[in-house]
Amino acid sequence: MPDDQPETPYLELLARGAPAEAYERPVLRARAEGASAARLAALERAKLLALRVRGELEGRRRREAELSALFETAHDLAGLRDLDAVLQAIVQRARSLLGTEVAYLTLNDPQAGDTYMRVTDGSVSARFQQLRLGMGEGLGGLVAQTARPYVTESYFDDERFQHTRTIDSGVKDEGLAAILGVPLMLGSGVIGVLFAADRRPRVFEREQVALLGSFAAHAAVAIDTANLLAETRSALAELEAANEIIRDRSEVIERASEVHDRLTELVLRGGGVHDVAAAVAEVLSGTVEFTEAHTAPAAAVDRSRAGGHAVRHGEDWIAAVSASGELLGALVLRGHPRLDPVDQRTLERAAMVTSLLLLARRSADEAEQRVRGELLDDLLDAPDREPRLLRERAARLRADLDAPHVVLAAGIDAPGTAFGGAPGPAAGPPEETDEPDRTGRAHRAEGADEAAGRQRLWAAASHLAATRHGLAAARDGGTVLLLPLADGEGADSLARRTARQLGTAVQAAVTVGASAPVPAPAARPGEVASAYAEARRCLEALRVLGRGGQGAAAEDFGFLGLLLGGARDGAGDAARVEGFIARTIGAVVDYDARRGTDLVRTLDAYFASGMSPARTKDELHVHVNTVAQRLERVGRLLGPDWQSPSRALEVQLALRLHRLASAIAR
């Protein structure tokens, strides 16, 4: 090798990337060959220069790899889709470039007040991978407190940070010795720590600390970006939800405005409650009906009335229509089990408008009701009125006084009171008191309540009379009604129905007594007063018998009905007698007529013989078994209780009336 080219062997070593120990060989070879001192010195200089160049090249290559890894990380961040994947890539690249056995990343949890393992690479311990550490504990706690990198060559021999049993157990389980930790910074705050670690003691160079710090900066950016994206997505979702709510509310407001305009128009042009129901049904896309108080579901109406809101009832919604404590009816929305609050409020407003319309109509009807009351008063007090004038007045009220009517006496049921509301006998003298005026105030309050109750009853009766094309008037502290009798309807059923309707309307027990039908009040006005007296007797009988709050006619009281019915004319009396006979023993009489048997005669003989079958058979001259068979047949026709004292008394009275009627007919 020429003396003037000592660098040649080193260029070849640099060219093929030989290891550092190979650079000693040219010097050793020249020395073995006996090279001159100058030659050896030149080779030494060339070796040092070559090693310097080699180190520079190694550093550049390492820097290039680091920059490449950082570039790839930045590229991953630019297209961030999955935060976990980006953080995993950062930890993997840090481990690869630093040549460590393990790399991992922890994040702080402000809500829990600790820090937890977020990502690991190269870890083999499940306990280590699931570590949760208190704030300020371990090597990571020191990094978080100082916001500066920290490195230890031997973890368990380093006393500069706080050791805990949990952390030490995890580190020991993983087998770590040398650990380098750098902070994850967002602004001036530490959000976590990025670590690189080996399972054997090791010294981390300054360049490695700086490199891990760069990866930590990228990791912090990735976390911040992901958080911002999450917040952005959340904000967008909230905005979308808000927009959806705004769109819904806009539609609701439009619907509410439409309902308001339509209801206002209805009120201004004098529409009725059914027009209101139709308008609301169209807006709510359902079926809305106005129902009378007695036909609506009582429990649901009571809940709506008490709370002042529409309530759900099965698949329907019900809004009570009431005013001044009086239940007027209800609006029922059918087939809408789910109703949003605005639509519910729409139904409630419709109920309010309906109550206003009903009150307005009632105010207009009060004058008509007074006229109806005056006409009924004339029928009761002036029976000599000209029938033609009565018919004309009734026609203006849409009443037909040539049709059969029933007179009904109604009163709010109060124990110990008579029909006119007068108090019954006191149970004893009032107790002495230190406040003499307290009893007086109580009596005045009680009197005011009774007056208010009578007023409500008259209003409800007037409304019922108007809807049934009848008449009503306040009289004798109660209310009297003259209502037409429908085909196939009896006075007793009309009385019961009226008691229910009035009781529901005034929210109190109402007792109603009914007269026998008056065929044509206009043609025979004198019968109206007699019928009213009969209705009052029935009312008093109901209260005496403890049946307050019910409705009944004379025929409901058995033979007592003959006494309660009184006498209006001969035909009426005969009809009541015939009705009593038919209800009591009609089945036996009809059986004899169809079969030619002697059941009626057997009954006469049976009662005449003191209800003794043995004496009855002597009276009839038949065998005792025949008597038993006939009585068994009577039991099947009249019912098993026909021999009870009360029934036996009615049967005997009916037998005598039947015998008397048969004798008169002959």
Side-chain angles (χ1 to χ4, degrees):
M1 181 178 301
D3 291 341
D4 57 349
Q5 294 181 350
E7 69 278 2
T8 300
Y10 295 107
L11 290 176
E12 293 176 357
L13 292 173
L14 288 172
R16 68 170 188 264
E21 59 269 17
Y23 286 75
E24 285 293 334
R25 292 172 186 167
V27 177
L28 295 175
R29 188 181 304 115
R31 186 176 291 115
E33 293 175 353
S36 63
R39 174 66 178 173
L40 292 176
L43 286 173
E44 284 290 344
R45 288 195 300 274
K47 181 189 73 171
L48 294 176
L49 183 60
L51 287 174
R52 189 183 305 168
V53 171
R54 180 182 179 279
E56 187 70 23
L57 290 175
E58 285 286 342
R60 290 179 180 274
R61 281 195 295 268
R62 186 170 61 252
R63 186 58 179 166
E64 180 181 357
E66 293 171 357
L67 291 175
S68 177
L70 291 174
F71 176 79
E72 291 174 0
T73 302
H75 182 269
D76 290 341
L77 291 177
L80 179 64
R81 292 295 181 269
D82 184 355
L83 176 62
D84 289 337
V86 173
L87 295 181
Q88 188 68 48
I90 289 174
V91 171
Q92 288 175 348
R93 289 167 186 158
R95 177 191 174 200
S96 175
L97 289 175
L98 268 67
T100 59
E101 296 174 287
V102 182
Y104 53 98
L105 182 148
T106 62
L107 290 179
N108 296 344
D109 187 347
Q111 294 182 348
D114 62 5
T115 183
Y116 63 97
M117 196 73 69
R118 182 69 166 81
V119 183
T120 66
D121 187 62
S123 172
V124 296
S125 169
R127 179 190 299 181
F128 182 77
Q129 295 167 11
Q130 298 172 4
L131 275 179
R132 293 191 74 94
L133 318 174
M135 300 297 288
E137 297 177 350
L139 186 148
L142 183 60
V143 174
Q145 286 178 346
T146 62
R148 298 177 62 184
Y150 188 83
V151 62
T152 179
E153 298 179 12
S154 179
Y155 174 85
F156 291 101
D157 297 329
D158 198 331
E159 298 297 333
R160 290 173 294 174
F161 51 84
Q162 180 183 354
H163 287 267
T164 68
R165 178 178 299 177
T166 301
I167 301 175
D168 288 355
S169 297
V171 173
K172 184 176 182 181
D173 201 36
E174 188 64 48
L176 301 180
I179 302 175
L180 166 62
V182 296
L184 298 174
M185 304 289 296
L186 276 182
S188 59
V190 179
I191 64 170
V193 179
L194 177 62
F195 297 89
D198 263 337
R199 295 186 174 92
R200 62 184 183 280
R202 168 181 174 171
V203 176
F204 288 94
E205 300 176 359
R206 186 181 59 181
E207 292 82 1
Q208 292 174 322
V209 175
L211 176 61
L212 193 62
S214 298
F215 278 108
H218 282 298
V221 170
I223 294 170
D224 189 37
T225 302
N227 290 336
L228 291 175
L229 286 175
E231 292 175 2
T232 302
R233 292 190 187 100
S234 177
L236 288 175
E238 292 176 358
L239 286 174
E240 182 64 27
N243 287 333
E244 187 67 25
I245 293 174
I246 291 172
R247 285 194 294 269
D248 291 343
R249 294 304 96 186
S250 297
E251 294 176 0
V252 167
I253 291 172
E254 290 178 3
R255 291 203 312 271
S257 177
E258 179 184 354
V259 171
H260 180 270
D261 292 342
R262 296 195 62 174
L263 293 180
T264 302
E265 180 185 356
L266 284 173
V267 172
L268 292 177
R269 64 181 176 85
V273 294
H274 296 291
D275 296 323
V276 173
V280 176
E282 184 176 346
V283 173
L284 299 182
S285 300
T287 301
V288 179
E289 298 176 357
F290 173 77
T291 62
E292 298 290 342
H294 64 279
T295 61
V301 171
D302 289 341
R303 285 190 291 118
S304 175
R305 186 182 182 189
H309 298 288
V311 298
R312 183 173 172 179
H313 179 68
E315 297 292 311
D316 305 332
W317 284 82
I318 294 178
V321 177
S322 61
S324 301
E326 180 183 354
L327 181 63
L328 305 176
L331 285 183
V332 181
L333 173 63
R334 303 194 184 281
H336 265 275
R338 295 181 180 177
L339 201 63
D340 65 46
V342 176
D343 286 345
Q344 181 179 342
R345 183 59 179 161
T346 297
L347 183 62
E348 294 165 0
R349 288 183 177 177
M352 293 176 58
V353 172
T354 301
S355 66
L356 292 175
L357 289 176
L358 290 174
L359 288 178
R361 188 178 70 182
R362 175 177 292 181
S363 298
D365 289 345
E366 284 182 354
E368 179 182 335
Q369 300 308 326
R370 285 193 292 272
V371 175
R372 290 179 184 274
E374 291 171 359
L375 177 55
L376 183 53
D377 284 337
D378 285 346
L379 287 171
L380 293 170
D381 300 331
D384 56 347
R385 293 280 184 177
E386 174 63 35
R388 179 182 59 82
L389 296 177
L390 293 175
R391 290 188 180 92
E392 290 177 356
R393 293 169 62 185
R396 288 194 292 270
L397 297 173
R398 300 181 299 282
D400 181 9
L401 295 184
D402 287 320
H405 282 65
V406 172
V407 178
L408 303 111
I412 294 180
D413 187 53
T417 61
F419 172 67
E431 296 182 359
E432 295 184 0
T433 175
D434 294 335
E435 299 182 36
D437 63 334
R438 181 178 299 173
T439 302
R441 288 199 303 270
H443 287 169
R444 287 195 296 273
E446 183 178 352
D449 291 341
E450 290 179 358
R454 289 195 296 270
Q455 177 64 27
R456 291 199 305 272
L457 178 61
W458 175 83
S462 298
H463 176 69
L464 178 62
T467 58
R468 293 290 304 274
H469 304 294
L471 304 175
R475 196 173 185 87
D476 298 326
T479 301
V480 57
L481 299 95
L482 182 65
L483 298 181
L485 195 62
D487 292 340
E489 185 178 31
D492 54 346
S493 61
L494 178 60
R496 287 189 288 271
R497 180 155 57 91
T498 302
R500 288 194 303 270
Q501 292 175 339
L502 294 179
T504 301
V506 301
Q507 295 292 297
V510 176
T511 307
V512 176
S515 72
V518 180
R524 305 165 69 177
E527 292 189 14
V528 177
S530 299
Y532 175 50
E534 178 182 340
R536 290 186 61 183
R537 288 193 293 272
C538 289
L539 173 63
E540 291 300 332
L542 284 171
R543 285 175 169 166
V544 169
L545 295 174
R547 294 170 56 186
Q550 301 181 19
E555 60 193 61
D556 290 316
F557 296 95
F559 72 91
L560 289 177
L562 300 177
L563 303 175
L564 296 173
R568 280 187 255 151
D569 55 36
D573 292 341
R576 281 191 293 275
V577 170
E578 290 176 1
F580 174 71
I581 294 171
R583 290 192 302 274
T584 308
I585 62 171
V588 176
V589 173
D590 292 343
Y591 189 87
D592 279 351
R594 293 195 311 271
R595 303 292 183 89
T597 54
D598 281 332
L599 297 183
V600 172
R601 192 163 68 89
T602 300
L603 278 175
D604 274 329
Y606 179 66
F607 285 115
S609 302
M611 301 177 69
S612 170
R615 288 196 292 272
T616 302
K617 62 98 174 173
D618 294 336
E619 178 72 21
L620 296 176
H621 305 289
V622 296
H623 195 276
V624 68
N625 290 339
T626 301
V627 174
Q629 292 172 0
R630 290 180 181 179
L631 294 179
E632 183 181 357
R633 173 64 62 183
V634 169
R636 287 198 294 269
L637 293 172
L638 298 184
D641 64 336
W642 71 276
Q643 296 190 72
S644 65
S646 60
R647 286 291 306 279
L649 180 61
E650 291 188 356
V651 171
Q652 292 180 70
L653 179 58
L655 287 170
R656 295 194 177 198
L657 292 174
H658 176 65
R659 189 163 58 248
L660 178 60
S662 299
I664 293 174
R666 288 196 297 270

